[in-house]
Amino acid sequence: MVFPERFSNLPEYAFPRLRGLLDAHAPGGDPVMMTIGEPQHAFPGWVSSILAANVDGYGKYPPNDGTPELRKEIAGWIERRYSVICDPDTRIMALNGTREGLYNAAMALSPETRNGARPAVLMPNPFYQVYAVASLALGAEPIYVPATAETGFLPDYAALPPEILNRVTIAYICSPANPQGAVADEGYWRRLIALAEQYDFRIFADECYAEIYRDTPPPGAMQIAEAMGADPERVVIFHSLSKRSNLPGLRSGFVASGPENMKRIKQLRAFAGAPLPLPLQRVAEAVWRDEEHVAANRAAYAEKFDLADGIFGGVDGYASPEAGFFLWLPVEDGEAAALKLWTETGVRVLPGAYLSRDVNGANPGAGYIRVALVTPKEETERGLIRLRDCLYV
């Protein structure tokens, strides 16, 4: 039996790989899990009553694009957040979580060739792993661009040579960045959008951490593109309720772009998509409409940012995150640090190399660990102190 070759070189996914590293060893203390970015703050209490009131919706096929009511609420949120008006019928589609959209939008929008050559897809390194799988699935060459301290933890796509840029169909960018917490400011977005206009590629803006920030809301790709007068098809944005509202299991997200992009994305979804069940769409309508719980969630993360700054303020190379809910901590060797931390303290973190790819013999994540600040404040503090005392004192 023959199998496809296009995924044959994929490394093992990060979390099975982590289990292989750690699970043969007993923890050195009461376990504190700081690996996966699964929010553990409470979601709004009224979610349950809305779900119960709409449970009969499980007896119906949901609309592929999202209910008109949900798309209207998403459009209202985009306007309030970014001062951009999006027609809910032509520029917005509900998603079953952003990972689905980040993958399928590439299938729908990337051409088979670019300027007579194999297309290229840009992505930061380290990165959310679906970017690479989408690139390989459509036959493109994934271009892993370092997002290191030297580049402000964001990729410098403009530094790539023209022979690559002339083949680019899609550039993925995550802001706030996972795992580093860096924010693309207005200047960064303007430079990237201008580069995309120059070389005629699309920007896929993964903005699912955009509502977890300290003081100033991160600017959005669509917001800056409209201010520049760029082609509305130039930018495709992706958001979800997972981090914003502590509802990762709801699987409610959206994609928004220009009408031609969305027409093609919706067409593919009609053949191959999995729409969100109607009761969950009713919940999502209310959650996108409410900001009170989001502000409370943001305040809880701000307290943990402050904890981390106090605990790691004296650590050489520590960079306080601008947004998101991860720490990206420098170590000599990420795997060795994660193993030491687990066996000596019971704190479980993710080696940075598991989120990155080797390029020219170097892995930009190898000298880091990613620490998720998703547990309750007291548990987070306990884990961070153990981590500091084990690895830095």
Side-chain angles (χ1 to χ4, degrees):
M1 188 172 291
V2 178
F3 294 96
E5 291 293 320
R6 58 186 176 273
F7 302 125
S8 60
N9 292 323
L10 285 177
E12 190 173 22
Y13 198 66
F15 296 104
R17 193 174 174 186
L18 181 67
R19 291 192 290 272
L21 176 70
L22 301 184
D23 282 2
H25 306 275
D30 294 335
V32 179
M33 302 301 186
M34 308 184 84
T35 54
I36 192 167
E38 181 179 62
Q40 296 181 32
H41 298 172
F43 56 74
W46 38 259
V47 164
S48 301
S49 60
I50 296 174
L51 184 60
N54 289 278
V55 71
D56 61 340
Y58 284 115
K60 301 176 183 178
Y61 284 119
N64 263 319
D65 299 348
T67 63
E69 295 85 359
L70 176 55
R71 287 184 279 109
K72 181 180 177 181
E73 293 296 346
I74 291 169
W77 181 82
I78 293 172
E79 184 175 1
R80 292 191 302 274
R81 177 63 170 82
Y82 295 119
S83 300
V84 175
I85 296 174
C86 280
D87 180 352
D89 294 328
T90 62
R91 297 192 62 185
I92 293 168
M93 187 182 79
L95 293 174
N96 217 320
T98 52
R99 181 161 57 177
E100 175 219 347
L102 290 161
Y103 181 90
N104 285 329
M107 302 300 106
L109 298 179
S110 182
E112 290 78 4
T113 62
R114 181 75 210 284
N115 289 326
R118 182 187 181 190
V121 173
L122 308 183
M123 63 199 70
N125 194 19
F127 60 99
Y128 187 31
Q129 301 299 295
V130 72
Y131 307 162
V133 172
S135 306
L136 296 172
L138 53 85
E141 179 186 3
I143 306 293
Y144 305 109
V145 181
T148 62
E150 290 71 26
T151 63
F153 293 115
L154 294 168
D156 182 7
Y157 292 146
L160 293 168
E163 54 265 31
I164 289 178
L165 291 170
N166 280 317
R167 294 193 292 117
V168 173
T169 58
I170 294 166
Y172 284 101
I173 182 73
C174 184
S175 174
N178 170 14
Q180 309 96 322
V183 169
D185 62 15
E186 181 177 348
Y188 184 94
W189 281 125
R190 284 182 173 272
R191 291 189 296 274
L192 180 56
I193 292 165
L195 188 73
E197 295 267 71
Q198 179 183 354
Y199 287 96
D200 193 24
F201 60 81
R202 293 177 177 88
I203 297 167
F204 279 19
D206 181 356
E207 298 178 329
C208 68
Y209 295 91
E211 300 312 286
I212 303 174
Y213 54 84
R214 298 184 111 155
D215 300 308
T216 304
M222 184 179 283
Q223 172 188 13
I224 304 305
E226 180 160 295
M228 293 174 64
D231 183 346
E233 311 292 339
R234 188 63 58 201
V235 169
V236 188
I237 67 169
F238 303 84
H239 284 261
S240 91
L241 295 175
S242 297
K243 283 75 177 177
R244 172 189 180 270
S245 301
N246 305 311
L247 285 164
L250 189 69
R251 309 313 305 142
S252 177
F254 73 81
V255 55
S257 187
E260 185 59 35
N261 282 344
M262 294 308 304
K263 177 181 176 182
R264 293 169 182 270
I265 291 170
K266 289 178 180 181
Q267 183 183 31
L268 181 61
R269 184 73 171 313
F271 283 91
L276 194 68
L278 272 171
L280 305 187
Q281 295 199 43
R282 297 305 181 198
V283 171
E285 292 166 20
V287 179
W288 282 113
R289 189 164 56 242
D290 182 73
E291 290 295 329
E292 184 176 347
H293 75 280
V294 184
N297 187 44
R298 194 157 45 238
Y301 280 116
E303 291 183 358
K304 290 190 276 189
F305 289 149
D306 292 342
L307 274 179
D309 290 348
I311 292 168
F312 295 103
V315 171
D316 187 37
Y318 170 70
S320 182
E322 296 178 79
F325 52 50
F326 296 113
L327 301 183
W328 188 237
L329 297 178
V331 292
E332 186 172 342
D333 179 292
E335 282 193 321
L339 183 59
K340 174 181 172 67
L341 194 59
W342 175 246
T343 57
E344 294 186 10
T345 75
V347 175
R348 197 173 179 102
V349 300
L350 190 67
Y354 294 4
L355 301 168
S356 311
R357 290 287 193 279
D358 291 353
V359 177
N360 298 324
N363 186 312
Y368 290 87
I369 53 175
R370 192 188 77 173
V371 183
L373 304 180
V374 294
T375 55
K377 180 180 177 182
E378 294 75 15
E379 186 175 354
T380 297
E381 183 175 24
R382 184 167 66 251
L384 294 181
I385 290 172
R386 285 190 204 172
L387 192 159
R388 178 201 61 193
D389 293 350
C390 179
L391 299 182
Y392 299 108
V393 174

